[in-house]
Amino acid sequence: MKRIAIVVIVVLLAAGGWWWFHNEAKAPVARSASEVNAAALKDPALIAKGEYLAIVGDCASCHTSQGGVRYAGGRVLPTPFGNIPSPNITPDRETGLGDWSFEDFWQALHAGKGRHGEFLYPVFSYTSFTKVSRDDALAMFAYLQSLAPVHAPALQPSLEFPYSVRSSLKAWRALYFHEGEFQRDASKSDEWNRGAYLVQGLGHCNECHAPRDSLGGQEGKASLAGGQIPAQNWYAPDLSTRANGGLAGWSEQDIVDLLKTGQSARGTAFGPMADVVTQSTQHLHEDDLRAIAVYLQSLPARPANAPENSPLDTRPIMAQGAKVYGERCADCHGKDGNGVAGVYPPLNGNSSVNEPTGINAMRVILLGGFAPVTHGNPRPYSMPPFAQQLSDADVAAVVTYIRRSWTNTASVVLERDVVKYRHTPID
């Protein structure tokens, strides 16, 4: 619990940096000699390219409040340390990016520094965005500058001392930030390199799908190895398709289907990933989706999990779980846990069922599972919430049963684990 709290502190305080450079900083940074001609930013082809890249980066999700104008900011993320608002990135001169040059934008994206040279907090995922090419950054800037200006003054964050102290970022950056554009691997195909560029850069997949240490930095070099998403109480699974990976056995088509429609033969997107599919990946070009799948399939095998060594007698909880499963789950997901293709996702071998913590299965059972509405799957089936029908003991039992039946061998979930997530908001 302490580890998660520290991670949340370090990562979520970052949004304060966005507010700070819109409201507090004073001295501008010297302009680069390579200023972009204003006329070049009005090229329709460049703007169209930038719009697509902004979708790839899922920029609108963070920079749009519920019911608000797209990209006008104001989305508030509640945390134990206060509310964190996102900034306006429309070209309004007073409250947005209207007075920004391309060099200002490039500095933020590539170097993690604000318009006035201040360090940005890493809730803005510059640790990934630094890999974006300068040409792509220019296209994105052209698109954002083409939007209708929206006057939307920044909301003030309610961060408490010492979480708003910025000087510590110098040490954090020395440990965790490696500035530099994506470098092609000449030994790999063009398709692999495109997939790696999208996943590592604009897609910023590792920001969620990687474990973080007590300082909020990514642990070791375990790329896309899975991790709990700070403050959201979801677990983003390991993305390796090889032995012991979170997507072990997934085909290229399975990955493409999930990203395009929110559903595949191996699983369904829900929680934060459902929003990513809705806002971003369903709109990607087919060749980019294929490239992402090719890259993910190249991720290495993972070490086998050590067998659980617990003195707990699981037979009573498994018996209770089997009873609940038979009454509440088997009609849709099948007695064999294999679901119904294209309708109900399988639980047998499901990466979200087998993830290390059990958080995802607990939350879906309590709060319901809602697949994204996409062009490829406009009327998805949803799972109803069972929070009112099942006790904490029932939820723990059925989650344990699902995680330890068929080919699944995940750890036991206890009643006290369920208590933590019963009243946790969906996002």
Side-chain angles (χ1 to χ4, degrees):
M1 190 69 182
K2 181 178 179 181
R3 172 184 176 274
I4 299 302
I6 295 174
V7 171
V8 172
I9 290 170
V10 174
V11 176
L12 295 183
L13 292 181
W18 279 107
W19 176 83
W20 191 88
F21 71 67
H22 277 284
N23 296 276
E24 295 290 324
K26 302 297 182 183
V29 172
R31 290 286 189 260
S32 166
S34 59
E35 287 286 357
V36 174
N37 187 292
L41 296 177
K42 299 185 182 300
D43 178 8
L46 186 67
I47 291 171
K49 176 183 177 182
E51 181 178 15
Y52 176 72
L53 292 171
I55 291 172
V56 173
D58 200 16
C59 305
S61 288
C62 285
H63 292 279
T64 308
S65 63
Q66 186 173 5
V69 179
R70 195 169 173 85
Y71 295 111
R75 179 173 178 175
V76 175
L77 182 61
T79 79
F81 317 104
N83 293 329
I84 310 297
S86 64
N88 176 9
I89 56 173
T90 72
D92 182 69
R93 297 183 69 88
E94 292 183 15
T95 66
L97 305 186
D99 276 340
W100 282 47
S101 70
F102 170 63
E103 296 302 328
D104 295 331
F105 184 76
W106 172 250
Q107 178 175 250
L109 202 69
H110 182 69
K113 295 180 181 179
R115 186 183 174 205
H116 302 280
E118 70 280 12
F119 293 145
L120 302 181
Y121 287 96
V123 71
F124 174 61
S125 302
Y126 60 81
T127 48
S128 293
F129 296 152
T130 187
K131 295 181 181 294
V132 175
S133 72
R134 190 175 176 87
D135 286 346
D136 283 353
L138 178 62
M140 294 173 65
F141 183 67
Y143 168 64
L144 293 175
Q145 290 295 309
S146 77
L147 299 174
V150 178
H151 188 79
L155 302 175
Q156 294 191 9
S158 57
L159 296 174
E160 299 177 0
F161 180 83
Y163 310 121
S164 56
V165 174
R166 304 171 62 85
S167 58
S168 62
L169 281 175
K170 185 173 184 179
W172 190 94
R173 288 164 62 98
L175 289 170
Y176 301 113
F177 178 46
H178 306 287
E179 182 178 337
E181 293 182 49
F182 175 79
Q183 300 298 313
R184 288 179 55 84
D185 185 337
S187 70
K188 304 291 187 180
S189 68
D190 288 344
E191 187 174 39
W192 184 95
N193 275 286
R194 176 63 175 174
Y197 173 73
L198 293 173
V199 169
Q200 296 176 18
L202 269 181
H204 59 287
C205 305
N206 222 36
E207 302 298 326
C208 288
H209 291 272
R212 293 183 179 272
D213 63 20
S214 60
L215 295 177
Q218 294 175 11
E219 292 182 356
K221 298 180 180 180
S223 176
L224 304 172
Q228 188 166 334
I229 305 174
Q232 294 192 36
N233 291 314
W234 290 99
Y235 191 93
D238 178 286
L239 296 183
S240 170
T241 65
R242 300 190 182 185
N244 305 309
L247 303 185
W250 282 51
S251 68
E252 178 183 311
Q253 190 61 49
D254 291 331
I255 296 171
V256 171
D257 287 345
L258 184 80
L259 296 176
K260 188 69 176 177
T261 71
Q263 187 169 16
S264 78
R266 301 302 299 265
T268 299
F270 57 88
M273 190 62 198
D275 186 60
V276 171
V277 172
T278 299
Q279 300 291 336
S280 177
T281 61
Q282 71 159 321
H283 304 290
L284 268 59
H285 301 154
E286 181 76 14
D287 55 350
D288 278 344
L289 292 174
R290 294 280 171 194
I292 289 170
V294 165
Y295 173 69
L296 293 182
Q297 289 199 304
S298 75
L299 295 176
R302 307 302 191 190
N305 292 326
E308 186 177 29
N309 184 19
S310 172
L312 181 68
D313 182 358
T314 61
R315 288 174 296 181
I317 194 172
M318 287 291 287
Q320 183 184 2
K323 181 176 182 293
V324 174
Y325 185 85
E327 294 172 348
R328 304 283 187 173
C329 313
D331 286 348
C332 293
H333 295 287
K335 293 181 179 179
D336 58 4
N338 289 326
V340 177
V343 183
Y344 305 118
L347 303 178
N348 182 20
N350 188 304
S351 60
S352 285
V353 169
N354 290 312
E355 53 86 6
T357 66
I359 289 173
N360 292 348
M362 284 186 280
R363 298 201 68 191
V364 168
I365 289 173
L366 287 168
L367 303 174
F370 303 96
V373 175
T374 60
H375 297 304
N377 190 20
R379 299 182 66 184
Y381 288 87
S382 297
M383 176 176 158
F386 288 97
Q388 300 301 316
Q389 289 80 31
L390 299 178
S391 67
D392 294 335
D394 286 337
V395 174
V398 72
V399 171
T400 296
Y401 175 78
I402 291 168
R403 284 165 58 84
R404 298 177 73 84
S405 294
W406 315 300
T407 64
N408 298 340
T409 58
S411 59
V412 172
V413 167
L414 301 177
E415 187 174 345
R416 64 171 179 261
D417 299 321
V418 179
V419 172
K420 292 188 295 185
Y421 301 108
R422 177 172 286 276
H423 302 293
T424 301
I426 291 178
D427 53 28

